[in-house]
Amino acid sequence: MTEITWEEPFCAEGNNCFRIGTDSAGNAYIAVAGQEENHLTDSREALRALILEIKAGKADHLL
């Protein structure tokens, strides 16, 4: 089993808390805080691209 190092939860309004984690193999993980066993996995590069696109406003239509 891969050892995931989780960051502290990020909580937005309404207590929607997410955690981001990484492992030594270069994978990145996103999970709802408290449900880390049900995570999404991709490369760190993919996670970086997702975060940059969100910060650029490309997901604003979901708000």
Side-chain angles (χ1 to χ4, degrees), residues 12-25:
E13 294 178 27
N15 294 324
N16 296 319
C17 299
F18 294 90
R19 295 187 81 181
I20 294 176
T22 57
D23 66 18
S24 60

Side-chain angles (χ1 to χ4, degrees), residues 2-61:
T2 302
E3 173 97 19
I4 302 170
T5 302
W6 293 102
E7 298 289 329
E8 290 296 315
F10 170 78
C11 300
E13 294 178 27
N15 294 324
N16 296 319
C17 299
F18 294 90
R19 295 187 81 181
I20 294 176
T22 57
D23 66 18
S24 60
N27 298 309
Y29 302 84
I30 301 175
V32 173
Q35 299 179 25
E36 289 80 2
E37 67 280 357
N38 299 315
H39 55 264
L40 296 173
T41 308
D42 210 327
S43 68
R44 289 183 189 190
E45 293 78 22
L47 177 61
R48 185 176 295 112
L50 173 66
I51 292 170
L52 289 172
E53 295 294 326
I54 290 170
K55 290 175 80 174
K58 294 193 178 177
D60 287 356
H61 65 284

